[in-house]
């Protein structure tokens, strides 16, 4: 086993591409996500305003909207058609239309309305803009009614005291990096293992393990760097137990190595094994349910999500990093992950 | 062949199916009702009517609700305090508490929309200003409609980079004069992609009901500009690969970074400007916004002109690099050699 290990190290050293995929490329991918998510607080999304009123009140509401954290008024359009052109040419995400009798109606204590045309093709910008403008309108509306002598209980009978239990900073980076970075580890674990086991004929299980070991070690080191980046540099909250996360990360590497072996045995072809393995690891993201909940998928696709170790890994990440859940909850998921490591046994004979 | 043709097909079908339902409705929540009064029950029935949330449990205390939370059975808790009815009777403002979980953003949003939307619709006087929101181009805010156009384009680019790269690595030896080789290859790839794109943007699009607001010829112009830039980039890169697995190894991990750089999920305002600028070297970074605007929003070609110009500049740039590289190799080899590692082993 040790001989095979040493032999494999020599192979890695002499093959530039193999060496890169175990060291340079994974580090580069981690660097990419670190830089990309360095500052993702959404600020200043450009919107246009069509002010048909040109009054003090309309200018005031535009100022208030401009002052919100995410919205930034960059254009004032003449009419709705021009505003729509600004949206379709990608210069603004939304347009706010102020009616010509806006101030007059407020003075006369009549109800008036603002129209917001908000681009729905990007649901994240849509949500931020909607939320901020809604808040400004509600605040201003309440202030006007109070001035008119209405009581707060009539304007807003029920108030909500909001608590965000987990990931309370609502941070995009905290939410996405613990997902994207492990995916890189998965991809390179598969690639490394396929490279190690398809070059020359394998003689024994010991030799197989010896050859796969450099990938395991190198990926474990990369994974530790990854955890440092996630929890120290990007300051993702760590509410639970770090040891469970470390353990799960190592199991994740071994899982994907096992899956690589499974594919190699199944296809007996290096390029096919790499293609299938790559596809399998990229798809894992969609099926982990982090962005689009598996709950909302069709049953057969929801079932498919259980076929990716990554799904369980993400659950452990969310439970331990963001929620600080009891360890017992995560141990079950860790158990499922360990089952995947047994995948090669299914086709042991073909190896 | 596998990577060029089947991989994009399998990916597009799997991704689209996963997002086929588009939105999460009836997200399970729990309500703790300590008021147990007529008015609190009235409020609960109003929450029950919201399409966003489903009152799955009514636990008696916070401890019980929290354990439901930790087990992943619910995604939000509404707490109605015992003074709720008293305040309602005295016509005072009454408070309820809402506990949310931001570890799954989409769920967070649905629960918030369900609870806050219901509460804000309750008032005794008409608001002075009402905000009427129109969600353009994707009225239901469907997740598939939002992300799939970008994903489809990125899949096409990434599989082309790998597939064409693999063929390039196999065909290191030249059989024909460089210009003939380049022209014939480009022609073959263009034909393959014409077929593939027709399937994806006509049949596939139709099956999954993605918005088709763009006039067909405009969409065709955008797609052709994109695919030519992609094919030329892939061909230029393919001259660098020596072994068949190299393109797979160097490119397979980059799909998510490429998708992020296109600004399709996180807007370009949210990540470093310099990364976006460098990202413009990728055809996808220009094609994704152009395609979304033309196909989903019905923009005209003049409205996506900057993106189209960038795509054509990229096409010219990569064609020049490709021709340069191939003729360099041709002149260093002298005369074309007979073929050895034949392309048919791959195709």
């Amino acid at each position: 086993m040790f001989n095979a290990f040493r032999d494999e190290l020599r192979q890695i050293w002499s093959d530039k591409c193999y060496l890169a995929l175990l060291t340079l490329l994974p580090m580069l991918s981690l660097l990419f996500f670190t830089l990309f998510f360095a500052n993702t607080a959404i600020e200043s999304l450009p919107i246009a305003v069509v002010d048909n009123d040109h009054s003090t009140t309309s200018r005031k509401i535009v100022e208030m909207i401009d002052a919100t954290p995410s919205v930034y008024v960059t254009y004032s359009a003449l009419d709705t058609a021009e505003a729509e052109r600004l949206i379709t040419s990608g210069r603004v995400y939304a347009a706010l239309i102020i009616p010509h009798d806006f101030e007059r109606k407020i003075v006369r204590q009549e109800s008036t309305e603002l129209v917001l045309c908000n681009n729905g093709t990007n649901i994240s910008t849509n949500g931020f803009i909607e939320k901020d403008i809604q808040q400004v309108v509600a605040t201003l509306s309440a202030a006007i009614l109070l001035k008119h002598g209405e009581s707060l209980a009539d304007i807003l009978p029920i108030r909500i005291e909001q608590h965000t239990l987990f990931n309370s900073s609502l941070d995009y980076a905290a939410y996405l990096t613990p997902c994207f970075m492990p995916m890189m580890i998965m991809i390179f674990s598969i690639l490394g293992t396929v490279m190690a086991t398809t070059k020359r004929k394998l003689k024994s299980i010991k030799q197989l393990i010896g050859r796969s070991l450099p990938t395991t070690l190198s990926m474990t080191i990369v994974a530790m760097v990854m955890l440092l980046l996630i929890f120290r540099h990007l300051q993702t909250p760590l509410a639970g137990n770090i040891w469970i996360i470390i353990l799960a990360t190592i199991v994740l590497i071994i899982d994907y190595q096992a899956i690589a072996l499974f594919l190699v045995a199944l296809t007996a072809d290096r390029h096919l094994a790499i293609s299938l393995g790559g596809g399998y690891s990229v798809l894992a993201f969609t099926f982990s349910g982090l962005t689009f909940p598996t709950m909302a998928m069709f049953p057969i696709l929801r079932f498919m999500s259980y076929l990716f170790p990554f799904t369980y890994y993400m659950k452990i990440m969310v439970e331990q990093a963001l929620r600080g859940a009891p360890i017992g909850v995560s141990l079950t998921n860790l158990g499922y992950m360990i089952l995947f490591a047994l995948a090669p046994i299914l086709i042991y004979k073909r190896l | 062949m596998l990577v060029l043709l089947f991989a994009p097909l399998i990916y597009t079908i799997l991704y689209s199916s996963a997002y086929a339902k588009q939105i999460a409705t009836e997200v399970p929540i729990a309500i703790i009702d300590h008021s147990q009064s007529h008015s609190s029950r009235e409020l609960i029935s109003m929450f029950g009517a919201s399409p966003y949330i489903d009152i799955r449990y009514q636990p008696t205390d916070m401890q019980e609700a929290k354990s439901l939370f930790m087990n992943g059975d619910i995604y939000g808790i509404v707490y109605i305090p015992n003074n709720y009815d008293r305040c309602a009777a005295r016509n005072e403002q009454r408070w309820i508490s809402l506990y949310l979980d931001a570890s799954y953003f989409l769920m967070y949003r649905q629960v918030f929309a369900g609870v806050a939307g219901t509460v804000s619709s309750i008032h005794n006087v008409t608001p002075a200003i009402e905000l009427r929101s129109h969600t353009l181009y994707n009225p239901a805010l469907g997740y598939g409609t939002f992300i799939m156009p970008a994903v489809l384009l990125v899949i096409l680019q990434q599989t082309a980079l790998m597939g064409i790269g693999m063929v390039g690595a196999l065909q290191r030896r030249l059989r024909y004069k460089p210009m003939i080789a380049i022209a014939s290859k480009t022609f073959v790839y263009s034909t393959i992609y014409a077929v593939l794109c027709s399937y994806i943007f006509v049949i596939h699009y139709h099956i999954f009901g993605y918005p088709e607001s763009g006039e067909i010829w405009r969409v065709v112009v955008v797609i052709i500009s994109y695919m030519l830039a992609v094919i030329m980039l892939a061909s230029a890169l393919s001259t660098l690969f020596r072994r068949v697995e190299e393109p797979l190894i160097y490119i397979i991990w980059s799909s998510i970074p490429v998708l992020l750089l296109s600004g399709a999920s996180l807007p370009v305002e949210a990540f470093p400007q310099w990364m976006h600028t460098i990202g413009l070297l990728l055809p996808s970074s220009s094609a994704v916004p152009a395609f979304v605007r033309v196909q989903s929003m019905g923009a005209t070609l003049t409205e996506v002109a900057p993106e189209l110009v960038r795509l054509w500049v990229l096409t010219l740039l990569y064609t020049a690099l490709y021709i340069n590289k191939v003729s360099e190799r041709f002149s260093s080899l002298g005369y074309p050699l007979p073929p050895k590692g034949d392309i048919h082993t791959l195709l």
Side-chain angles (χ1 to χ4, degrees):
Chain A
M1 194 158 88
F2 184 69
N3 281 342
F5 177 70
R6 214 174 39 194
D7 189 40
E8 195 58 29
L9 283 184
R10 213 172 295 134
Q11 284 284 335
I12 294 169
W13 194 247
S14 63
D15 183 344
K16 219 171 43 184
C17 182
Y18 192 179
L19 183 66
L21 91 87
L22 288 183
T23 53
L24 188 68
L25 289 176
M27 287 300 185
L28 214 63
S29 66
L30 295 188
L31 183 69
F32 173 86
F33 289 111
T34 312
L35 293 172
F36 191 89
F37 289 109
N39 177 26
T40 48
I42 294 197
E43 289 164 358
S44 56
L45 299 171
I47 71 157
V49 167
V50 184
D51 186 355
N52 294 320
D53 194 36
H54 297 292
S55 64
T56 341
T57 321
S58 72
R59 270 190 293 274
K60 173 143 190 242
I61 199 163
V62 171
E63 252 169 51
M64 282 173 78
I65 287 168
D66 208 16
T68 59
S70 66
V71 183
Y72 179 48
V73 180
T74 46
Y75 286 89
S76 71
L78 278 177
D79 52 24
T80 323
E82 192 191 342
E84 202 174 331
R85 272 197 303 278
L86 285 169
I87 296 178
T88 48
S89 60
R91 270 180 279 223
V92 298
Y93 291 107
L96 183 76
I97 297 148
I98 304 174
H100 64 91
D101 53 0
F102 183 68
E103 194 179 55
R104 203 170 52 207
K105 278 202 167 168
I106 289 174
V107 173
R108 284 194 199 154
Q109 309 204 4
E110 285 170 35
S111 172
T112 177
E113 61 175 25
L114 293 169
V115 177
L116 175 67
C117 296
N118 199 349
N119 186 352
T121 57
N122 190 322
I123 58 177
S124 46
T125 60
N126 183 287
F128 282 109
I129 292 171
E130 180 93 26
K131 190 172 167 226
D132 273 2
I133 294 184
Q134 183 73 59
Q135 207 147 33
V136 167
V137 171
T139 314
L140 195 65
S141 176
I144 292 166
L145 286 178
L146 277 178
K147 230 195 232 164
H148 294 166
E150 300 285 352
S151 76
L152 209 53
D154 281 328
I155 303 166
L156 275 171
I158 302 169
R159 311 236 9 210
I160 300 175
E161 183 195 13
Q162 193 184 324
H163 305 271
T164 305
L165 286 178
F166 315 118
N167 188 19
S168 49
S169 56
L170 293 178
D171 185 356
Y172 237 86
Y175 172 71
L176 288 172
T177 41
C179 176
F180 287 144
M181 287 188 174
M183 284 195 65
M184 299 298 123
I185 306 269
M186 280 153 50
I187 293 175
F188 291 109
S189 299
I190 288 197
L191 292 177
T193 312
V194 173
M195 291 292 277
T197 50
T198 52
K199 218 166 221 167
R200 290 140 299 149
K201 195 114 189 76
L202 285 163
K203 293 193 193 76
S204 67
I205 293 291
K206 276 185 186 166
Q207 198 186 27
L208 176 81
I209 295 172
R211 284 194 191 163
S212 313
L213 220 49
T215 306
T216 319
L217 289 178
S218 151
M219 284 305 129
T220 306
I221 295 169
V222 174
M224 294 307 124
V225 173
M226 170 190 88
L227 292 178
L228 272 178
L229 283 173
I230 292 177
F231 295 115
R232 281 284 143 78
H233 184 77
L234 292 165
Q235 309 216 317
T236 300
L238 178 59
N241 190 317
I242 186 70
W243 294 105
I244 301 266
I245 294 181
I246 292 177
L247 193 62
T249 310
I250 296 171
V251 175
L252 184 79
I253 295 169
I254 297 171
D255 272 355
Y256 277 87
Q257 288 196 283
I259 286 157
L261 287 179
F262 179 82
L263 291 172
V264 166
L266 196 71
T267 60
D269 179 89
R270 169 185 283 187
H271 307 136
L272 196 57
I274 292 182
S275 310
L276 290 176
Y280 178 74
S281 31
V282 177
L283 277 174
F285 172 62
T286 305
F287 287 98
S288 71
L290 197 65
T291 48
F292 188 71
T294 46
M295 192 193 91
M297 291 179 191
F298 287 116
I300 182 158
L301 291 145
R302 197 182 318 152
F303 170 74
M304 277 181 70
S305 75
Y306 298 122
L307 301 177
F308 297 91
F310 187 65
T311 308
Y312 306 99
Y313 181 73
M314 271 334 293
K315 280 191 185 161
I316 295 175
M317 258 308 198
V318 167
E319 285 160 2
Q320 290 306 325
L322 302 180
R323 293 184 169 183
I327 294 169
V329 180
S330 298
L331 284 182
T332 326
N333 287 322
L334 195 64
Y336 287 126
M337 284 182 72
I338 292 169
L339 285 181
F340 282 92
L342 307 176
I345 294 175
L346 291 177
I347 45 171
Y348 165 71
K349 286 214 175 89
R350 291 191 59 169
L351 271 169
Chain B
M1 193 67 182
L2 190 79
V3 175
L4 273 180
L5 213 57
F6 291 111
L9 285 181
I10 293 167
Y11 284 139
T12 48
I13 291 168
L14 275 177
Y15 280 119
S16 302
S17 318
Y19 301 141
K21 270 194 168 168
Q22 297 259 18
I23 46 171
T25 50
E26 304 286 324
V27 175
I29 64 160
I31 293 187
I32 309 169
D33 183 6
H34 278 179
S35 169
Q36 295 287 354
S37 58
H38 175 70
S39 50
S40 71
R41 276 187 288 272
E42 199 177 33
L43 181 67
I44 292 173
S45 76
M46 286 181 83
F47 285 137
S50 165
Y52 298 110
I53 46 176
D54 173 30
I55 305 161
R56 194 72 56 87
Y57 302 91
Q58 296 211 14
T60 47
D61 58 27
M62 205 59 196
Q63 209 52 43
E64 203 181 327
K66 277 211 167 138
S67 78
L68 286 167
F69 222 136
M70 287 299 182
N71 287 329
D73 294 329
I74 52 167
Y75 294 89
I77 304 169
V78 173
Y79 172 77
I80 305 175
N82 53 18
N83 67 359
Y84 182 83
D85 185 48
R86 221 174 322 131
C87 293
R90 283 198 222 131
N91 199 23
E92 283 170 11
Q93 254 192 337
R94 39 208 192 269
W95 288 82
I96 59 170
S97 299
L98 171 62
Y99 295 83
L100 290 160
D101 171 11
S103 38
Y104 292 93
F105 262 2
L106 215 66
M107 303 299 225
Y108 169 88
R109 190 137 134 189
Q110 300 304 76
V111 174
F112 184 80
V115 174
T118 307
V119 165
S120 70
S121 70
I122 306 170
H123 38 67
N124 303 335
V125 287
T126 359
I129 313 168
E130 263 181 295
L131 184 69
R132 202 147 53 86
S133 283
H134 297 287
T135 304
L136 306 175
Y137 320 118
N138 181 10
L141 287 176
Y143 193 81
T145 305
F146 153 55
I147 202 75
M148 279 315 288
V151 170
L152 292 173
L153 292 185
V154 169
I155 288 172
L156 282 170
Q157 173 178 285
Q158 297 304 103
T159 50
L161 293 183
M162 289 188 273
I164 295 177
M166 287 166 85
V167 176
L170 271 178
Q171 281 190 320
R172 303 256 326 149
R173 292 162 193 276
L174 297 161
R175 273 179 288 174
Y176 309 102
K177 285 197 170 152
M179 289 319 269
I180 298 173
I182 289 170
S184 57
K185 264 191 171 182
T186 310
F187 177 73
V188 170
Y189 291 136
S190 305
T191 320
I192 293 177
Y193 279 109
V195 176
L196 196 59
C197 290
S198 321
Y199 162 74
I200 290 177
F201 296 108
V202 179
I203 301 171
H204 189 85
Y205 240 74
H206 202 75
I207 295 175
F208 287 94
Y210 298 134
E212 292 172 271
S213 324
E215 273 183 49
I216 189 84
W217 65 273
R218 290 182 187 151
V219 177
V220 170
V221 169
V222 174
I223 295 291
I224 288 179
S225 311
Y226 176 52
M227 287 321 296
L228 275 179
V230 166
I231 291 171
M232 292 334 289
L233 168 65
S235 305
L237 276 181
S238 74
T239 57
L240 301 174
F241 300 124
R242 281 159 209 289
R243 293 195 326 232
V244 182
E245 63 262 28
E246 282 180 18
L248 291 171
I249 287 170
Y250 288 120
I251 288 160
I252 222 160
W253 66 275
S254 66
S255 313
I256 292 170
V258 166
L259 186 68
L260 287 175
L261 284 174
S262 77
S265 58
L266 214 55
V268 291
E269 284 81 6
F271 59 88
Q273 174 72 43
W274 64 269
M275 289 183 97
H276 180 246
T277 312
I278 296 177
L280 288 178
L281 284 172
L282 294 161
S284 53
S285 297
S286 300
V288 166
F291 179 73
V292 169
R293 295 216 298 274
V294 168
Q295 177 71 307
S296 307
M297 299 161 59
T300 60
L301 288 186
T302 37
E303 284 166 340
V304 294
E307 283 85 1
L308 286 181
V309 169
R310 281 206 298 267
L311 284 176
W312 284 98
V313 170
L314 288 181
T315 307
L316 291 178
L317 173 73
Y318 294 131
T319 311
L321 285 175
Y322 181 39
I323 291 175
N324 179 31
K325 195 80 191 171
V326 171
S327 26
E328 203 174 83
R329 197 189 308 151
F330 184 75
S331 58
S332 70
L333 281 173
Y335 197 74
L337 293 161
K340 209 176 168 186
D342 201 79
I343 183 177
H344 296 292
T345 52
L346 186 74
L347 288 175

